[in-house]
Amino acid sequence: MDQADAILLAELQRDAAQPYSALAAAAGLSTAATHERVRKLRERGVIRRTTIEVDPTAVGTPVLAFVLVRSERWVGDADTRAALAAIEEIEEAHVIAGTASLLLKIRTAGTVELQDVLRRLHGVGSTETIVVLESFFARPVRITRP
């Protein structure tokens, strides 16, 4: 990945809907070269998908919580992955090192719905829930420029 690729990735993270001509101008490339580079970044899996960022409060899911799950059994298996993926309120699930085995990012409409998700997790081990009161910022993946 070179400087032009890093610029393209940073620009796409800022606004994935901008035209190739704007991306080309930012990276100092032709539109055709920019299109080809973006295609190759997708092909190599550097760009996983193109999506939008939605305001959670505007769509009715303002409550954000992180849940640490402690378990005596190994949770980094396909069965656990499938069970967690089936709970639509779980936005992210990570196998972690430390006193807990899993870190879950959960977003719900309210605390009653959060409690329901925690109830569905019952049996996997003990949990510690951290409810977010305010988020200062969330950054996209940092692009290091060569």
Side-chain angles (χ1 to χ4, degrees):
M1 194 166 82
D2 63 10
Q3 178 77 9
D5 286 341
I7 291 169
L8 291 173
L9 290 171
E11 283 295 310
L12 286 167
Q13 281 185 314
R14 188 180 59 75
D15 180 4
Q18 60 186 303
Y20 280 104
S21 59
L23 293 170
L29 300 168
S30 71
T31 302
T34 299
H35 192 275
E36 182 64 15
R37 280 179 177 258
V38 170
R39 185 188 65 76
K40 286 181 180 177
L41 288 167
R42 287 183 194 284
E43 209 172 72
R44 293 190 343 245
V46 176
I47 298 173
R48 293 181 184 170
R49 62 190 173 116
T50 304
T51 186
I52 60 170
E53 186 176 336
V54 175
D55 178 356
T57 300
V59 296
T61 56
V63 175
L64 173 61
F66 292 92
V67 177
L68 292 166
V69 178
R70 291 175 184 80
S71 178
E72 295 299 316
R73 65 177 185 81
W74 176 246
V75 293
D77 57 13
D79 289 344
T80 302
R81 180 186 317 240
L84 294 172
I87 301 172
E88 67 180 25
E89 294 89 348
I90 298 176
E91 289 187 350
E92 296 179 17
H94 308 274
V95 176
I96 59 172
T99 59
S101 306
L102 291 168
L103 174 64
L104 308 177
K105 179 181 176 184
I106 299 173
R107 195 172 288 279
T108 62
T111 55
V112 170
E113 293 81 3
L114 176 59
Q115 185 177 358
D116 180 58
V117 174
L118 296 173
R119 190 176 299 111
R120 286 182 270 161
L121 291 172
H122 184 74
V124 296
S126 66
T127 61
E128 178 182 346
T129 303
I130 301 158
V131 176
V132 176
L133 299 177
E134 179 182 359
S135 296
F136 290 141
F137 60 86
R139 290 188 174 114
V141 173
R142 192 172 65 102
I143 308 299
T144 56
R145 298 184 184 205

